[in-house]
């Protein structure tokens, strides 16, 4: 099948274990040296958007070979190759991983990748997270997340009214899950339909970022709009693999496993007339170089840029009085 043409163009809290997250790189790889000039992320995002149009035109099952040829050709283009080659996997590794993800893809009710086009978008844009934080340590296990001194307890902060966003935890027992199911049937729209946080922990910089976004959203949204809602924060690689087995589009490596990525609810705010307000706010922060933003449908994935880390750490310390 012919490939379609393309147009040119230190916070108080519970005691923490001294266990530190381990560093991990893909086996057989060595640390990659970033190019002298940083890749053009605006050009990369534009090239991804163009590629998605072509992937969408080859969505039927009979176009597998044509999609492979398309991915093979397009990823070698300078705007895309510059970013992918600067990640730990390199261009070839990223290409092979994407093709494997596409070959394994099965649509289901859980995944944020509703089709192959969404899968390609999520994978390629998440490589910006990996580019930014490739030297950060990975939280490999649940115990490392729960014991890390780099993370603070959100519940400790929430009880002291120090958070400008909301979240809910995953029920830990059968009784808890049954109770949540009953609440959803009785009041289906009172909260977003999300499993909730397995870990109620976050990096200090990320707390400051979410508080900042939460305040800005509260000021810009229509009256009576609920606060910013966070659906996912730090994850262990162990949990990321669990999510993959359940059918979620949980990419590896992931900014979530480094503690610098979060997911925030978007779709639920439509009923309050505030979805577009929040979307515009997030995209403006991306344009300012503070975030990487990925539209994943119901929720949007955000990753903090390294250049904003120091400012946000200072903001957290000033806000919390530490």
């Amino acid at each position: 099948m012919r490939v379609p043409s393309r147009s040119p163009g230190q916070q108080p809290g519970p005691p923490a274990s001294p266990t530190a997250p381990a560093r991990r790189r893909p086996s057989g790889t060595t640390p990659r040296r970033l190019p002298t000039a940083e890749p053009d992320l605006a050009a990369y995002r534009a090239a991804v958007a163009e590629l998605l149009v072509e992937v969408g035109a080859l969505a039927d099952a009979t176009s597998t070979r044509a999609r492979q040829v398309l991915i093979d050709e397009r990823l070698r283009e300078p705007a895309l190759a510059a970013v992918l080659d600067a990640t730990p996997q390199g261009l070839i590794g990223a290409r092979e991983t994407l093709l494997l993800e596409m070959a394994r893809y099965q649509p289901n009710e859980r995944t944020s990748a509703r089709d192959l086009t969404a899968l390609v978008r999520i994978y390629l844009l998440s490589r910006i997270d990996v580019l930014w934080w490739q030297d950060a340590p990975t939280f490999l296990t649940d115990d490392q997340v729960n014991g890390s001194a780099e993370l603070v307890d959100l519940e400790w902060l929430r009880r002291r009214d120090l958070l400008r966003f909301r979240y809910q935890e995953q029920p830990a027992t059968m009784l808890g899950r049954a109770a949540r199911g009953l609440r959803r049937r009785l009041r289906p729209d009172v909260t977003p339909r999300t499993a909730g946080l397995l870990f109620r922990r976050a990096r200090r910089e990320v707390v400051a970022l979410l508080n900042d976004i939460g305040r800005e959203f509260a000021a810009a949204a229509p009256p009576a709009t609920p606060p910013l809602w966070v659906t996912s924060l730090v994850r262990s690689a162990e949990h990321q693999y669990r999510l993959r087995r359940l059918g979620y589009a949980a990419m590896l490596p992931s900014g979530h496993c480094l503690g610098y990525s979060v997911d925030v609810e978007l779709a639920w705010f439509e009923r309050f007339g505030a979805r577009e307000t929040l979307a515009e706010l997030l995209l403006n922060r991306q344009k300012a170089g503070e975030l990487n933003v990925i539209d994943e449908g119901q929720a949007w994935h955000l990753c903090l840029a390294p250049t904003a880390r120091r400012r946000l750490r200072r903001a957290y310390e000033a806000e919390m009085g530490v």
Side-chain angles (χ1 to χ4, degrees), residues 24-39:
R24 181 181 66 172
R25 293 184 180 275
S27 59
T29 66
T30 56
R32 299 180 60 83
R33 181 179 299 174
L34 288 174
T36 303
E38 292 294 331

Side-chain angles (χ1 to χ4, degrees), residues 164-166 210 213-214 217 226-230 264-265 269 278:
R164 306 279 75 84
F165 58 92
R166 290 182 183 171
L210 291 172
I213 295 174
F217 180 51
L228 180 74
W229 193 284
V230 175
V264 297
E265 177 72 25
F269 286 106
L278 180 54

Side-chain angles (χ1 to χ4, degrees), residues 74-103:
R74 297 294 182 249
L75 294 193
R76 288 184 169 87
E77 294 181 351
L80 293 170
V83 169
L84 298 177
D85 198 44
T87 63
Q89 279 189 307
L91 172 59
I92 300 304
R95 169 194 172 277
E96 294 302 317
T97 300
L98 177 55
L99 291 174
L100 183 59
E101 293 282 355
M102 294 173 71

Side-chain angles (χ1 to χ4, degrees), residues 64 67 97-106 116 119:
T64 302
R67 286 196 301 267
T97 300
L98 177 55
L99 291 174
L100 183 59
E101 293 282 355
M102 294 173 71
R104 291 176 172 176
Y105 173 73
Q106 293 289 335
L116 274 173
L119 178 74

Side-chain angles (χ1 to χ4, degrees), residues 273-285:
R275 184 190 184 281
E276 294 307 314
T277 299
L278 180 54
E280 182 179 6
L281 184 160
L282 297 175
L283 292 173
N284 284 340
R285 285 176 177 260

